[in-house]
Amino acid sequence: MEKQQLVIYNTLSRKKETFEPLNAPNVGMYVCGPTVYGDPHLGHARPSITFDILFRYLKHLGYKVRYVRNITDVGHLEHDADEGDDKIEKKARLEQLEPMEIAQHYTNRYHDAMNALNVLPPSIEPQATGHIIEQEQLVKEIMDNGFAYESNGSIYFDTAKYNQKYHYGKLSGRNLDDVINASRELGGVEDKRNQTDFALWKKATPEHIMKWPSPWSEGFPGWHCECTAMGRKYLGSNFDIHGGGMDLMFPHHECEIAQAVASQGHDMVRYWMHNNMITINGKKMGKSLGNFITLEEFFKGTHEALTQAYSPMTIRFFILSAHYRGTVDFSNEALQAAEKGLNRLLSGIKDLDRIQPANESDKATSDFVKECRSRCYNAMNDDLQTPVVISILFEACHIINTIVDHKGTISAEDLAELKETMHLFAFDLMGLRAENSDNNQAREEAYGKVVDMVLDLRSKAKADKDWATSDKIRDMLADAGFEVKDTKDGAVWNLDK
């Protein structure tokens, strides 16, 4: 395969850049994973699927990728300003369970949902609680370099002092003075020198459950520390890609950069990548806003905002139908369109298996097949333009339907090439797959003989020129969810829904 030149949008430089790994063919990629205190929702699916696509494509291009995606199981407080309860500990109190029971339960739930969405597991999935020593070491280094201070047993990052030498806000494009002026008055700010200072280590109150010994107090690490510490541990002091949702750009990723620079004199990351948000009526979907729909609710159709259940592959297709840097607004209409689009694509790929090749392809087919693979590669290389890939695959479906209807021809060589291209991009790189045996496949097998028998009756009616009966059978099958096509070789059917 000819070497492909991938271009990605770097949030830090605010422009597209040619991807050049620091140590090719090795690639280091870190993506912020979930805070495991509740069921995964549609907002979690988007970064997981976005960076799953990148992971798949980088491996396809021949890179050896170490993909690290963390599990946050301590230190993520209710408010970004280091106030409120630990989210997991609060949930544990409500349910009268150990915090680690909560973390394990929702980690398992997250894994189940990712598996249903066909998201590949990362190379390493470190947990924050398993890396307390590394986080304490990071805090020590920042303090030794003079960019942190102790206050009542807690350690805070000194953003003002850091900003004198470096630029706090360079990722999000914020000016520190503007951030300070825009910040609302916060409870507990008296422990800090500035409202923008953030906790590296928090002293635990007596009733706090999750706490560890440290040189400063018995406490727990700040939320931002874990990703810097674990990224450095598994990918080194310099690595290629750091990804996550756009909502993490500030303050989380901004603080990560500050911690890295303050501890080692330079940022760890070469390319920062951010997916945009899933919205509902224009507002971000998230637990904090109370407008989220869990993935299980989508799969079962149990949320009041849903008019039906949507399969995992429909959700994946829905997310891939928009570019990862664009917003995606939830609606039942959009998901129903995604369901139809997915079915159309899968039916087209399935139809490839029953095409009888001709001696040669017609010109339109030949021209399309000749360019199809390179067009898909060009789209992927242009910052992962998955909607463009989907549109090209839909063009292929149109070609396939033309051939099935005997209005076009395809040679054996072109048929093999088209089949390989569609499988590569739809299944291997986009991560789509035919619905599982509990859905369409099982129903097709169960109903197949009955439908074939009914179509035989329709065929006899057509032979007798009993058009009313023929049309009635076709319409009744359509009402039951079966799409019937008449071809020169006889009628064929697909399970439409």
Side-chain angles (χ1 to χ4, degrees):
M1 182 187 75
E2 182 181 345
K3 189 69 173 178
Q4 302 295 319
Q5 192 65 67
L6 174 63
V7 172
I8 55 179
Y9 184 86
N10 189 349
T11 310
L12 189 61
S13 65
R14 293 168 180 74
K15 64 182 181 181
K16 291 181 181 179
E17 298 178 6
T18 300
F19 178 64
E20 296 177 350
L22 292 164
N23 300 294
N26 299 300
V27 172
M29 180 169 76
Y30 189 100
V31 174
C32 291
T35 300
V36 283
Y37 69 103
D39 276 334
H41 56 73
L42 191 61
H44 292 120
R46 194 168 196 198
S48 301
I49 291 172
T50 294
F51 293 101
D52 181 59
I53 296 294
L54 180 58
F55 184 34
R56 288 170 181 268
Y57 194 54
L58 288 171
K59 291 198 298 180
H60 174 70
L61 295 181
Y63 294 114
K64 183 179 180 182
V65 186
R66 177 176 290 174
Y67 175 19
V68 181
R69 187 185 68 207
N70 70 299
I71 295 289
T72 297
D73 56 357
V74 70
H76 194 169
L77 304 186
E78 291 179 283
H79 309 295
D80 287 336
D82 306 316
E83 298 304 317
D85 291 329
D86 182 291
K87 293 183 177 183
I88 292 169
E89 191 163 306
K90 180 179 179 181
K91 185 80 169 182
R93 288 197 193 98
L94 289 172
E95 299 193 12
Q96 295 185 316
L97 295 170
E98 282 288 329
M100 284 298 97
E101 283 184 271
I102 294 295
Q104 187 64 59
H105 173 74
Y106 289 112
T107 298
N108 293 344
R109 300 279 285 177
Y110 177 75
H111 288 159
D112 289 344
M114 294 305 104
N115 183 57
L117 291 168
N118 202 25
V119 170
L120 299 176
S123 313
I124 302 173
E125 191 175 54
Q127 294 171 295
T129 53
H131 297 78
I132 300 298
I133 293 174
E134 288 83 356
Q135 292 175 79
E136 288 187 12
Q137 181 62 35
L138 173 68
V139 177
K140 289 177 186 176
E141 292 172 9
I142 295 172
M143 290 193 75
D144 289 345
N145 290 337
F147 295 110
Y149 58 90
E150 183 174 356
S151 177
N152 296 324
S154 294
I155 309 297
Y156 292 97
F157 190 95
D158 193 334
T159 52
K161 188 170 184 182
Y162 173 85
N163 204 52
Q164 292 173 1
K165 185 174 182 180
Y166 304 105
H167 178 196
Y168 180 79
K170 68 176 184 177
L171 179 67
S172 58
R174 303 187 185 207
N175 178 284
L176 185 62
D177 292 335
D178 293 339
V179 175
I180 292 174
N181 294 334
S183 297
R184 64 184 185 274
E185 292 297 325
L186 301 167
V189 79
E190 63 273 4
D191 285 346
K192 304 179 182 181
R193 294 175 184 170
N194 295 290
Q195 291 179 343
T196 53
D197 294 351
F198 57 92
L200 298 172
W201 184 266
K202 288 281 286 184
K203 181 181 180 180
T205 57
E207 68 274 12
H208 202 91
I209 304 171
M210 303 173 77
K211 51 192 174 185
W212 292 264
S214 79
W216 317 288
S217 64
E218 191 171 66
F220 55 93
W223 171 37
H224 310 302
C225 285
E226 62 177 286
C227 292
T228 304
M230 295 190 295
R232 184 167 65 179
K233 178 179 178 68
Y234 295 110
L235 299 175
S237 59
N238 286 91
F239 60 87
D240 298 296
I241 298 169
H242 194 315
M246 194 171 287
D247 57 331
L248 297 177
M249 190 189 308
F250 186 88
H252 186 51
H253 291 164
E254 199 72 75
C255 294
E256 279 193 63
I257 290 176
Q259 290 171 158
V261 174
S263 63
Q264 62 187 30
H266 56 83
D267 189 10
M268 296 191 298
V269 181
R270 186 167 187 177
Y271 303 94
W272 284 88
M273 296 180 68
H274 294 89
N275 65 273
N276 215 320
M277 299 295 99
I278 300 279
T279 58
I280 297 182
N281 298 322
K283 293 184 178 180
K284 175 200 165 188
M285 176 180 286
K287 285 192 175 72
S288 60
L289 298 174
N291 65 350
F292 66 96
I293 303 174
T294 70
L295 290 171
E296 183 178 49
E297 287 172 330
F298 274 106
F299 301 159
K300 294 182 177 179
T302 53
H303 192 278
E304 61 182 9
L306 301 174
T307 58
Q308 65 179 82
Y310 297 99
S311 72
M313 284 303 100
T314 297
I315 299 298
R316 187 175 180 106
F317 190 86
F318 168 67
I319 289 173
L320 294 179
S321 295
H323 188 248
Y324 77 89
R325 287 193 288 113
T327 56
V328 175
D329 197 51
F330 157 80
S331 71
N332 279 285
E333 292 77 14
L335 281 165
Q336 287 161 4
E339 184 177 62
K340 289 180 180 178
L342 175 64
N343 287 339
R344 178 186 171 196
L345 177 58
L346 295 177
S347 293
I349 294 173
K350 184 179 178 182
D351 284 344
L352 284 168
D353 291 330
R354 59 188 183 85
I355 289 176
Q356 293 298 317
N359 291 330
E360 62 180 22
S361 301
D362 64 82
K363 187 176 187 306
T365 299
S366 177
D367 290 346
F368 176 80
V369 172
K370 191 180 299 181
E371 298 177 356
C372 182
R373 188 183 295 240
S374 62
R375 288 175 64 198
C376 288
Y377 272 128
N378 289 341
M380 289 296 289
N381 290 332
D382 183 17
D383 196 31
L384 307 178
Q385 290 282 355
T386 56
V388 178
V389 175
I390 289 173
S391 70
I392 296 167
L393 296 181
F394 278 163
E395 288 182 49
C397 290
H398 176 72
I399 293 285
I400 292 166
N401 285 336
T402 300
I403 297 167
V404 168
D405 291 341
H406 297 281
K407 296 176 182 176
T409 59
I410 188 168
S411 67
E413 182 180 358
D414 282 348
L415 179 61
E417 166 65 15
L418 185 58
K419 187 181 294 186
E420 185 177 308
T421 298
M422 292 193 76
H423 277 257
L424 170 63
F425 284 94
F427 298 149
D428 297 346
L429 298 181
M430 304 280 278
L432 300 169
R433 61 186 175 195
E435 299 296 356
N436 61 47
S437 59
D438 292 333
N439 294 320
N440 292 358
Q441 184 179 342
R443 286 190 289 167
E444 286 191 28
E445 292 175 356
Y447 300 150
K449 293 182 180 179
V450 176
V451 175
D452 288 340
M453 181 180 68
V454 173
L455 288 177
D456 284 341
L457 294 174
R458 180 172 178 264
S459 180
K460 290 176 182 177
K462 289 179 69 176
D464 294 337
K465 298 185 179 181
D466 183 358
W467 309 120
T469 300
S470 170
D471 291 346
K472 184 177 181 181
I473 291 173
R474 182 197 61 207
D475 294 343
M476 289 178 70
L477 284 171
D479 290 341
F482 297 93
E483 179 187 18
V484 177
K485 291 181 182 179
D486 289 309
T487 74
K488 290 183 179 180
D489 300 322
V492 296
W493 62 271
N494 282 304
L495 189 59
D496 192 36
K497 57 187 176 181

